[in-house]
Amino acid sequence: SQKIEQNSEALNIQEGKTATLTCNYTNYSPAYLQWYRQDPGRGPVFLLLIRENEKEKRKERLKVTFDTTLKQSLFHITASQPADSATYLCALRNTGGFKTIFGAGTRLFVKA
Amino acid sequence: NAGVMQNPRHLVRRRGQEARLRCSPMKGHSHVYWYRQLPEEGLKFMVYLQKENIIDESGMPKERFSAEFPKEGPSILRIQQVVRGDSAAYFCASSQPLAGEYEQYFGPGTRLTVT
């Protein structure tokens, strides 16, 4: 069956450290993968998109990697800040498909 | 430059009533997606529409749920004869009409409570 999985346990890290979140998928062939941030009571906000032929993408303190062999994407936030505390969602669209499939998200807490 | 608008933000309905959720996409966007989110769960795709066309409704329940995106006006997600299990946050997202990949811009959501 098709699955997209993120760590269900919350990630607690100290301010200034690097947060690393994992997204694994099974039985999909995504053309690209996206990462979103969602704060409580609000809609998700797009952060980064990485295509299947890209290994790594960066934007300010954010970095995403995409390994189609391992079927995994890693999302890194360097020099984390308490304001980075939120739920982070990964999402993919299957090649040739129309709908975007979201993972359940990983909640990140950054302590000052 | 207004973002995606959804209304109402909160909607309370009794079992058996109808719920109508509205979504106005960002200016220039002609693609709309509807998602449902239960507490502590991820977003579940429901339907993908372009103006006057339903492109993919594979995530929509077979009964009681319908969606439209008319040539003029907002997209509407309609739930007939609501049941308690329909209580959830419903998010709409819009994107640009480009081929290939593109990010989705989400609205603030409508929180539906069925009593």
Side-chain angles (χ1 to χ4, degrees), chain B residues 9 13-14 19 23 37 53 78 87 94 101:
Chain B
R9 294 291 309 276
R13 285 287 178 265
R14 291 202 190 98
C23 169
Q37 187 173 40
N53 281 309
R78 184 180 175 211
S87 296
S94 72
E101 74 281 0

Side-chain angles (χ1 to χ4, degrees), chain A residues 32 34 36 38 40-46 49 51 89 93 98-105 107, chain B residues 9 33 35 37 40-43 45 48 55-56 58-59 91 100-104 106-108 111:
Chain A
Y32 57 87
Q34 303 177 10
Y36 289 79
Q38 186 173 24
R42 309 189 77 155
V45 175
F46 171 79
L49 178 151
R51 297 179 185 83
L89 309 172
R93 175 176 296 196
F98 294 108
K99 63 185 182 184
T100 302
I101 312 299
F102 280 81
R107 192 173 294 181
Chain B
R9 294 291 309 276
Y33 304 78
Y35 296 88
Q37 187 173 40
E40 307 303 321
E41 292 189 15
L43 293 158
F45 168 84
Y48 164 43
I55 305 302
D56 185 337
S58 58
F91 290 96
E101 74 281 0
Y102 33 79
E103 65 264 30
Q104 296 176 29
F106 282 81
R111 274 141 194 89

Side-chain angles (χ1 to χ4, degrees), chain B residues 6-44:
Chain B
Q6 287 188 252
N7 66 79
R9 294 291 309 276
H10 300 274
L11 182 61
V12 180
R13 285 287 178 265
R14 291 202 190 98
R15 277 180 298 169
Q17 292 184 318
E18 178 180 290
R20 278 183 177 245
L21 287 62
R22 283 175 287 277
C23 169
S24 297
M26 281 183 70
K27 190 175 180 180
H29 288 191
S30 59
H31 296 203
V32 166
Y33 304 78
W34 284 94
Y35 296 88
R36 176 162 63 178
Q37 187 173 40
L38 294 169
E40 307 303 321
E41 292 189 15
L43 293 158
K44 301 296 184 191

